[in-house]
Amino acid sequence: MGLLLGSGNTKPQYPYDQWYGVQGDFNSQDYKLKRVGNLDLHRTLPIQAKLKRFVENPDGSVKYYLNQNDSRKKDSGATALIDSTDGNVMLEKPEYYFKLEIEGTKWIRAYSEYPLPGFIKMERKTVSPWYATVDITNSVAVSGCWLTWNGDEIARDSDGFVILKANAAQFRGGSGAGDAAKDGTYNSMLGMPRTSISKAGVRPLCKNGTHHGAYRVYNEIAWLQRVEYASLHCQDAYTETLTADGFHQGGLGSGPVVNGTEWNTWGSYKPFVPCGVTATLGNNTGKVSYTIKGWTGGDKVVQVTSYRGLETPYEYLWMLADDVLIWHADVSIAYVCEDPTKFTSHSDSATTVPIGYEAITELPRTEGYVLSMAHSTKGYSFAEKVGGSSNKGYCDYYWTPTGGSTWSAVGWYGALLSALASHGANAGFGFLNAHYRSSYATAHIGFRLCRF
């Protein structure tokens, strides 16, 4: 079988000039990928350009799109209401068509706006652009932003504390009611992501067709970023400057990096970036400076990244993925469920596969930087081999409990994505923590609201 659609040509012939993608090699340690397909599409990036924030109706349909350059405005330019009371703020991942092809050690991931031969349709999916929180009054998971602004700067009082909307107490993050005593202080959890809650705890809060099975949409967005930058190293230095050929280069840089010990002192590892800090970027990729008050040694300034509307895509909080379970025994296997009604935490010691979960691939038995990933025809990807580094292979880390000679805790585990603000080079789109059971909950684990 030849490689996909004449991909060796700089300009494939019609109709095969309607796709673009990247080529990699399972045996290569180079994180840089080869751009293939129509190179003009690598410049215009038509699929990535359709990632956009919007406010949804209760049934998930679009109430109105938000402005390309400022999420505080509607697409029309009128003022938007993004505190969730007008509807959840969501990020739309558009539908497109995808094909995976493997020949020998080389693989190609190809993308098109059109149903080309052999391509499969990747359905529209929506996800909260930032970590979600909980409407305490109505016991429902929501996505919104409760910041107020002075021009393009976040409004603050005379003590430097963030000034939030009057209804922010209804949307307390962290541990929820357990953090009420912090309201009005430097480490207030008002308007912050909700954490300290397990997958099973989030599930009943997801109403009106929402869920928190974020792996599938997160993985798709991750690959759109890798195609855009032709790189597996998402933490590579960020630059807005294009190459001489008009392509994006580098990566997204680091997230809002902090020292773990100092984070613990400040707020016991609870969230420190309010939801929606990057509203002023709209759907554009970029970084926003945010000042944390009360940090060890004085004010702490962090850089908050957004990739085409996806705020803090990695290196902030661990992210729950209710659509993935990990089986650890004599082998380790990643399972994915595509039906939110069948999402489950499963019994840790169960010996049967839960209904609706499909085995995707075996995972490495030792932890380390991911060197290569297994790819599925549906676009899923999971760590296949470790042995990379912070600048080799996929440049992100895989954690598993199975590496020790005394390990014996056979059974079902959950999946945590993204990595923490204190994890440094370990973090990234390809990070996977398969070390903890599904019931695990702690101060630095959050979730994203999904609908698909």
Side-chain angles (χ1 to χ4, degrees):
M1 182 187 299
L3 281 178
L4 181 69
L5 304 180
S7 59
N9 298 324
T10 301
K11 185 71 167 64
Q13 298 302 304
Y14 179 85
Y16 300 129
D17 59 353
Q18 296 176 329
W19 68 276
Y20 61 113
V22 286
Q23 180 185 65
D25 192 317
F26 289 112
N27 290 341
S28 175
Q29 295 188 6
D30 190 351
Y31 63 78
K32 294 183 179 179
L33 301 171
K34 179 182 178 181
R35 289 184 170 94
V36 292
N38 185 334
L39 295 184
D40 285 337
L41 296 180
H42 281 280
R43 298 181 179 95
T44 59
L45 300 163
I47 297 170
Q48 287 87 340
K50 293 179 182 177
L51 284 162
K52 48 191 174 181
R53 295 172 177 172
F54 69 99
V55 172
E56 68 170 12
N57 288 308
D59 64 358
S61 60
V62 176
K63 192 167 194 176
Y64 50 83
Y65 285 105
L66 298 173
N67 186 274
Q68 171 65 27
N69 301 311
D70 190 341
S71 297
R72 299 169 300 174
K73 301 177 182 178
K74 297 179 181 180
D75 200 28
S76 65
T79 300
L81 185 59
I82 59 172
D83 66 357
S84 80
T85 57
D86 208 21
N88 289 315
V89 181
M90 301 294 279
L91 178 68
E92 181 177 73
K93 191 285 303 175
E95 68 174 42
Y96 56 85
Y97 297 86
F98 167 80
K99 184 172 182 180
L100 170 72
E101 186 144 328
I102 298 173
E103 181 178 279
T105 64
K106 289 184 167 56
W107 53 264
I108 286 178
R109 297 179 70 105
Y111 296 77
S112 179
E113 295 181 278
Y114 307 101
L116 301 180
F119 282 61
I120 64 169
K121 186 177 183 180
M122 305 296 283
E123 299 289 350
R124 173 184 182 269
K125 296 180 175 68
T126 66
V127 60
S128 58
W130 36 75
Y131 284 88
T133 193
V134 173
D135 176 342
I136 298 170
T137 301
N138 297 298
S139 297
V140 58
V142 297
S143 172
C145 172
W146 295 271
L147 296 168
T148 62
W149 308 82
N150 283 326
D152 286 340
E153 299 295 323
I154 294 171
R156 295 177 181 265
D157 64 18
S158 58
D159 293 317
F161 299 163
V162 171
I163 299 174
L164 298 163
K165 298 194 68 174
N167 63 348
Q170 187 176 334
F171 305 96
R172 187 181 298 109
S175 62
D179 280 324
K182 295 185 174 71
D183 292 0
T185 68
Y186 66 87
N187 58 2
S188 169
M189 289 294 107
L190 296 182
M192 293 284 189
R194 181 70 159 88
T195 62
S196 303
I197 188 169
S198 69
K199 293 198 300 181
V202 176
R203 222 169 280 140
L205 299 173
C206 295
K207 299 175 182 178
N208 300 317
T210 61
H211 59 83
H212 69 106
Y215 163 75
R216 291 162 294 154
V217 66
Y218 184 73
N219 181 65
E220 285 191 55
I221 294 173
W223 278 105
L224 291 176
Q225 188 273 333
R226 291 166 183 149
V227 170
E228 180 168 347
Y229 289 82
S231 173
L232 300 172
H233 187 6
C234 60
Q235 285 183 305
D236 209 357
Y238 174 68
T239 176
E240 296 180 0
T241 304
L242 303 179
T243 68
D245 293 322
F247 302 134
H248 287 268
Q249 61 181 325
L252 304 179
S254 299
V257 178
V258 297
N259 174 277
T261 300
E262 294 175 357
W263 187 5
N264 186 29
T265 299
W266 178 85
S268 302
Y269 300 109
K270 290 180 180 178
F272 56 82
V273 175
C275 303
V277 163
T278 64
T280 52
L281 293 177
N283 303 324
N284 298 299
T285 298
K287 292 178 177 290
V288 170
S289 296
Y290 178 75
T291 301
I292 311 168
K293 304 297 292 185
W295 203 263
T296 301
D299 293 352
K300 173 75 172 177
V301 179
V302 294
Q303 299 299 311
V304 184
T305 303
S306 182
Y307 171 67
R308 292 188 175 269
L310 186 71
E311 181 174 293
T312 56
Y314 52 77
E315 203 173 0
Y316 174 35
L317 304 172
W318 276 331
M319 182 173 69
L320 295 172
D322 207 19
D323 46 353
V324 176
L325 286 172
I326 309 295
W327 169 255
H328 289 309
D330 55 335
V331 294
S332 296
I333 302 173
Y335 287 81
V336 171
C337 179
E338 298 176 353
D339 182 351
T341 66
K342 294 183 171 62
F343 289 169
T344 181
S345 298
H346 213 36
S347 168
D348 292 349
S349 59
T351 57
T352 57
V353 177
I355 295 172
Y357 283 78
E358 175 186 3
I360 303 301
T361 188
E362 291 188 14
L363 298 169
R365 298 291 286 171
T366 56
E367 71 175 55
Y369 280 97
V370 178
L371 179 61
S372 66
M373 283 197 177
H375 303 255
S376 84
T377 55
K378 292 182 177 180
Y380 303 147
S381 59
F382 286 94
E384 181 180 47
K385 294 179 183 177
V386 296
S389 70
S390 61
N391 61 1
K392 292 181 180 178
Y394 281 74
C395 308
D396 303 326
Y397 209 79
Y398 167 70
W399 270 335
T400 177
T402 61
S405 59
T406 61
W407 178 81
S408 61
V410 169
W412 293 96
Y413 289 71
L416 298 172
L417 311 178
S418 170
L420 302 180
S422 56
H423 279 166
N426 288 358
F429 273 122
F431 171 91
L432 172 61
N433 184 345
H435 197 279
Y436 294 104
R437 301 288 190 172
S438 288
S439 57
Y440 187 59
T442 192
H444 43 45
I445 297 179
F447 67 97
R448 291 186 189 263
L449 201 63
C450 302
R451 190 190 293 273
F452 49 86

